[in-house]
Amino acid sequence: MKIINVNLAAVAVKHEGFPEMEMPEMAFVGRSNVGKSSLINSLINRKALARVSGSPGKTRTINFYNIDDKMYFVDLPGYGYAKGPKEEIASWGKMIEGYLKNREQLKGIIQLLDIRHKPSVQDLQMIEWLKHYEIPIIYVLTKMDKLKRSQIAKHVKIIREALGEPTATLMIPFSSETKQGKEELLKTIQETTFGKENTND
């Protein structure tokens, strides 16, 4: 899967702001500051189209990126932060839930987890929710460049066991710094979105 043309198609806070063009969508979710914007920028070959924030929870919108007029990458607000009025945090949660539960174009979720740490309570809750609604999950373990190469397999195993996932479940270690994992993730996105029979670039 080669990405050539990308543009920010919509920035929404509710369903009415979602793109009208019906294309398959792949959404990205994860804790605040897990590296979601950096990962998206790496995949689309841009330095700052997806905005990287140093403040957890600052992104409060659902951002739709048009990928070559073939699909959307959907950047969902990070979860797990504590700042902000409880009413606002609750409304952001409802916004995410509404999208995940009702969006017919959604083909799967890129669930980001920090490879250095066990999944948080919020991570486990999100994954349980996605499984309940039978939404396909692609696990991406970010910030692998922060570990020694000899530590990676050990940390993947720790996360796999914490999630109760079998060894057959794909988990992609990823680094936005070195771009390791990028090609495997793009291939997996294409197969999940369009089917394995349509894997040509």
Side-chain angles (χ1 to χ4, degrees):
M1 180 179 181
K2 292 182 180 179
I3 295 175
I4 300 174
N5 296 309
V6 181
N7 64 79
L8 179 58
V11 177
V13 295
K14 57 179 64 176
H15 183 270
E16 289 77 10
F18 295 171
E20 295 183 0
M21 185 186 300
E22 291 195 4
M23 295 190 296
E25 298 174 1
M26 185 67 65
F28 296 72
V29 299
R31 279 189 299 125
S32 298
N33 280 7
V34 74
K36 184 155 49 65
S37 296
S38 296
L39 181 144
I40 293 173
N41 284 327
S42 296
L43 294 180
I44 63 178
N45 302 310
R46 302 291 191 277
K47 289 185 177 181
L49 187 57
R51 287 166 292 182
V52 180
S53 173
S55 302
K58 188 174 181 180
T59 303
R60 301 171 185 175
T61 56
I62 298 178
N63 299 335
F64 292 80
Y65 298 93
N66 183 327
I67 309 297
D68 291 320
D69 287 331
K70 294 179 180 178
M71 67 178 296
Y72 289 111
F73 283 177
V74 184
D75 185 7
L76 298 175
Y79 55 79
Y81 55 87
K83 293 183 179 180
K86 290 184 179 181
E87 294 80 7
E88 285 190 40
I89 294 174
S91 67
W92 302 332
K94 288 180 180 179
M95 175 176 63
I96 296 173
E97 183 177 356
Y99 169 80
L100 294 174
K101 187 176 179 180
N102 301 314
R103 191 66 169 167
E104 293 182 0
Q105 295 93 320
L106 181 62
K107 298 299 182 181
I109 292 291
I110 309 293
Q111 174 67 58
L112 280 73
L113 300 165
D114 189 325
I115 194 171
R116 300 171 297 175
H117 308 295
K118 285 186 176 181
S120 68
V121 172
Q122 291 91 350
D123 290 327
L124 296 174
Q125 290 174 340
M126 174 61 75
I127 292 166
E128 181 181 358
W129 195 93
L130 295 173
K131 288 183 175 181
H132 175 76
Y133 286 100
E134 299 182 342
I135 300 174
I137 305 171
I138 301 171
Y139 294 104
V140 176
L141 311 184
T142 61
K143 306 188 181 184
M144 66 175 294
D145 53 281
K146 304 296 184 181
L147 295 177
K148 295 179 181 178
R149 184 172 297 181
S150 60
Q151 296 176 308
I152 293 174
K154 174 185 174 182
H155 282 256
V156 172
K157 182 180 179 181
I158 290 172
I159 292 173
R160 187 185 299 280
E161 291 177 349
L163 297 178
E165 291 286 359
T167 54
T169 300
L170 180 64
M171 294 193 176
I172 304 175
F174 186 92
S175 168
S176 60
E177 296 293 327
T178 67
K179 307 300 186 283
Q180 287 179 274
K182 176 180 175 178
E183 294 305 318
E184 183 179 10
L185 178 53
L186 285 172
K187 179 182 178 182
T188 305
I189 289 173
Q190 180 165 317
E191 291 178 351
T192 303
T193 305
F194 301 104
K196 290 188 177 182
E197 66 276 11
N198 299 309
T199 56
N200 293 328
D201 292 335

